[in-house]
Amino acid sequence: SAVAGILHNLGVHMGNNFQEPNEQNPKGYFEDPEFVAVNLEIYKASIVKYADEFSKNSEWFEAKKKFNYLCESRAIAMASEDSCGRPTKWGFKDPKFCLTAKHVELPSETKIIWIHRNVTHTALSIIKAIGDLSGSDAHLDKWEKFVDHYRNETEKYLNNMSLDSMDINFDTLMKYPR
């Protein structure tokens, strides 16, 4: 959210509506609700087990089609130039993108800024966001393994794509913002 807010304030179009700031994130989230919703659809379609494979593929295909449509429509809307004659930039922030990125095709000019925190801090954040957990769901090591798995998946994805990317550790960013 900190980097998305910085990009937004530097003129990168991050969306038109954002979740309101709250106690957990007093400066705001800068998450475009359209991208958040379609990434959730892709996530659900890719993890749910269906007896009928066609049904799974159909929902997955539709969610991916919505994602591509959002990218295309955003690119068209941002095709103008800014006051200095530079192309207008757009972006989106979604905490689930590390779960869904491998399921979509991104435009070749995409630049990915991957911000991540310490595995334990991320796991604690997930536990706090979910709330009332019990049994094995309440164990920190389960969520650390979950975070570590998707961090590895994201690293593999970024290594296999020919997209420009920047890997930033959140704690390092806070210590050395320049």
Side-chain angles (χ1 to χ4, degrees), residues 33-46:
E34 289 181 293
F35 276 102
V36 170
V38 77
N39 274 311
L40 183 58
E41 284 183 46
I42 293 168
Y43 176 65
K44 285 180 179 178
S46 66

Side-chain angles (χ1 to χ4, degrees), residues 107-127:
S108 61
E109 68 275 5
T110 299
K111 292 176 180 30
I112 294 178
I113 302 174
W114 180 37
I115 308 295
H116 54 88
R117 294 185 290 174
N118 167 289
V119 171
T120 301
H121 293 158
T122 304
L124 289 169
S125 177
I126 291 170
I127 291 169

Side-chain angles (χ1 to χ4, degrees), residues 34-116:
E34 289 181 293
F35 276 102
V36 170
V38 77
N39 274 311
L40 183 58
E41 284 183 46
I42 293 168
Y43 176 65
K44 285 180 179 178
S46 66
I47 63 165
V48 175
K49 303 284 187 257
Y50 290 94
D52 179 354
E53 279 300 308
F54 178 77
S55 172
K56 176 185 176 190
N57 292 339
S58 176
E59 288 185 23
W60 199 35
F61 176 76
E62 287 302 314
K64 288 166 50 173
K65 198 161 93 173
K66 285 181 188 177
F67 179 86
N68 290 334
Y69 173 77
L70 277 177
C71 287
E72 289 170 18
S73 60
R74 187 65 54 86
I76 291 167
M78 298 288 105
S80 61
E81 296 177 344
D82 68 10
S83 60
C84 298
R86 297 174 298 220
T88 306
K89 304 281 187 220
W90 66 274
F92 69 91
K93 178 233 179 199
D94 190 317
K96 290 177 295 309
F97 193 63
C98 65
L99 307 175
T100 63
K102 66 183 177 181
H103 300 297
V104 297
E105 283 186 42
L106 295 168
S108 61
E109 68 275 5
T110 299
K111 292 176 180 30
I112 294 178
I113 302 174
W114 180 37
I115 308 295
H116 54 88

Side-chain angles (χ1 to χ4, degrees), residues 119 123 140-151:
V119 171
L140 179 62
D141 66 321
K142 172 187 176 170
W143 294 103
E144 287 174 328
K145 287 176 186 171
F146 174 83
V147 171
D148 200 42
H149 169 75
Y150 282 106
R151 176 172 290 169

